[in-house]
Amino acid sequence: GPIKTPAGKVNPPSAGNNRPSLSGTPQVGSTITGNPVGMSNNPSYSYQWKRCANSCSAIRGANATTYPVSAADLGDSLQLFETGSNKGGSDTVSSPQSATVTAPTATSLQVSPSTIIAGQQVTLIATVTSATGAAPPNGTITFAVSGKPVPGCNLVPTKPSGASATVTCQTTFASTPSGLSAVFTPAAGALVTGSDSTTSGYVVGNAASTTDMNVPKHLTLGHRWTLVAKVYAAPGTKGIAPAGTVVFVDGGKPIKGCVVALKGNTARCPLTYDALGKHALAADYLGDSSFSGSDSRVHKTTVVVAKPTGYVSALMAWTFRYSPTSTQVAALRVTGLVPGVAIKVACKGNGCPLRHHTYRTTKHSCNKRGNCKAVNLAKLL
């Protein structure tokens, strides 16, 4: 006949194929949670956390469904054991083992000086701190801009002292670094997690510049002259050079045709003055995305007539026109003239066709190099 359970007999609990699960991160300072399963036959439940390496051992006092992970658990795994009991017996099931317990880290970033100037050296300072000195932060720090390593500041080894390590790297920035951060990567076998600093935004200020120009105290009337301005970066500036435009000015007003782009660090402007007078010349650098503008000092100069050079040649030829009282000048020539030179001719004595005459050399009688035509003054006589 059918088998009947004797009166008063209780079947033991059973979890069947069900097993507890774990949630949470097995890191020092965090809490890991066990998710129990239900068993049949209305048992009472008890729990035990165990620390597992080669084997598992019970953790004293760890009898709840949650467990605060401590430094004592570093390098081991955690496992929850659930036991259901009633008058008929008991059944114990266990969760899978957690991942190896590690210590979390926190990474911070500082920049010195706090104000970054383009091309000027700055020091990046990263500090990584572990949750416990039992797990020092061995690994590397990479300083990055928008996720890309800063040149020369990639995978810098840490040298921990207890629970923390500080790493520095010197570099320069030509423009504002977008998303500057420090990233800690644990070494193989280190019982710590990686971490990133907060992404910081820094505004890079323009580097200072200086502009220099040399101008002689005197410029020659009608002669072509080239103004040369040089723009220099502030001392200590590396990796960048001034670019942009230089405006040459006279008396504070731009000189027509003398707004010039820098080539290298130099700007040139050809200039010719066709009138005598005084001038105040300067060069104004307008700056660029990395450099502030700067002005040269004002140079006062005067446009003057060139000192005469060359020679005067005279040839007096007698021409007899059957008059014993007259002399005809066949040639009187002046050579080597420059613009602005005045030639004064005077004739003294009876029969002079003129007493005084002044001839002025103008630019129209001279070529671009300032060489002027020879003048024959005989016709004046």
Side-chain angles (χ1 to χ4, degrees), residues 198-215:
T198 56
T199 300
S200 303
Y202 293 87
V203 176
V204 174
N206 285 356
S209 67
T210 56
T211 301
D212 189 24
M213 181 174 69
N214 291 322
V215 178

Side-chain angles (χ1 to χ4, degrees), residues 24-25 29 59 68-70 105 110 139 177-178 231 242 272 307 313 325 333 335 349 355 366:
T25 304
I59 303 172
V69 184
S70 69
T105 61
Q110 290 180 305
S178 174
V231 181
T272 302
K307 293 181 179 180
S313 64
T325 59
R333 186 179 300 273
T335 62
R355 294 298 179 183
C366 307

Side-chain angles (χ1 to χ4, degrees), residues 40-55:
S40 61
N41 299 320
N42 195 29
S44 60
Y45 297 96
S46 63
Y47 308 98
Q48 177 65 58
W49 288 93
K50 293 186 179 182
R51 187 180 295 126
C52 304
N54 294 327
S55 59

Side-chain angles (χ1 to χ4, degrees), residues 239-284:
I240 55 175
T245 304
V246 171
V247 179
F248 293 90
V249 297
D250 186 353
K253 297 181 179 180
I255 300 172
K256 185 177 180 180
C258 281
V259 179
V260 186
L262 281 172
K263 292 183 179 180
N265 71 325
T266 304
R268 291 179 169 84
C269 173
L271 188 63
T272 302
Y273 284 109
D274 297 327
L276 301 176
K278 295 182 178 181
H279 299 269
L281 300 175
D284 298 342

Side-chain angles (χ1 to χ4, degrees), residues 323-347:
S323 173
T325 59
S326 64
T327 301
Q328 182 182 18
V329 179
L332 179 58
R333 186 179 300 273
V334 180
T335 62
L337 296 173
V338 293
V341 169
I343 306 167
K344 294 183 178 181
V345 181
C347 181

Side-chain angles (χ1 to χ4, degrees), residues 184-206:
F184 170 66
T185 302
L191 296 176
V192 289
T193 63
S195 57
D196 299 352
S197 71
T198 56
T199 300
S200 303
Y202 293 87
V203 176
V204 174
N206 285 356

Side-chain angles (χ1 to χ4, degrees), residues 353-368:
L354 56 82
R355 294 298 179 183
H356 299 284
H357 178 77
T358 301
Y359 176 87
R360 295 188 182 276
T361 308
T362 66
K363 66 174 184 177
H364 299 293
S365 63
C366 307
N367 60 25
K368 292 182 178 180

